[in-house]
Amino acid sequence: EAQLVESGGDLVQPGSSLRLSCAASGFTFRDYYMGWFRQAPGKERELVASVQVMDSPTYYAASLRRRFTISRDNARSTLYLQMTQLKPEDTAVYYCGASPTIIVPGSPITYWGQGTQVTVSS
């Protein structure tokens, strides 16, 4: 059974950094495109960043490109999201997703994780 498990979410102050992880199992991780998504209260889920099978970033939301970095470790079947200079508007549940095809906004996602909460507040 395919499974994605996110971790690393926390309550942090504005300006802080966090690294999220997404551990994959039950499918061939290296064959899947991976993405990080987020959903803030009252808003739709949005694509934050996505990465190709060989750790080459495909997409970043324009407003996040300078602060967030997506990466993957195929040997560990793990996806990462390094977030810096966090702002209150980054508060959301962050999800990872997997697809056999490239991930851009609106792409169908085959597997979803359960999400991890990131709260940015002073």
Side-chain angles (χ1 to χ4, degrees), residues 32-115:
Y32 279 72
Y33 295 81
M34 299 296 298
W36 283 103
F37 301 76
R38 70 183 184 182
Q39 187 166 19
K43 296 187 176 181
E44 294 188 353
R45 189 174 301 190
E46 63 173 344
L47 177 61
V48 171
S50 66
V51 64
Q52 298 184 46
V53 295
M54 294 303 294
D55 198 20
S56 175
T58 301
Y59 172 88
Y60 281 102
S63 62
L64 302 176
R65 180 180 297 271
R66 294 184 178 182
R67 298 189 293 118
F68 289 13
T69 303
I70 189 171
S71 63
R72 65 190 295 165
D73 184 340
N74 288 340
R76 297 178 182 271
S77 297
T78 303
L79 178 73
Y80 302 100
L81 184 68
Q82 179 69 48
M83 306 186 292
T84 64
Q85 302 174 52
L86 284 162
K87 304 176 180 181
E89 52 263 42
D90 295 319
T91 296
V93 178
Y94 284 71
Y95 301 87
C96 62
S99 171
T101 59
I102 195 168
I103 296 175
V104 293
S107 296
I109 301 301
T110 303
Y111 304 123
W112 286 105
Q114 84 291 345

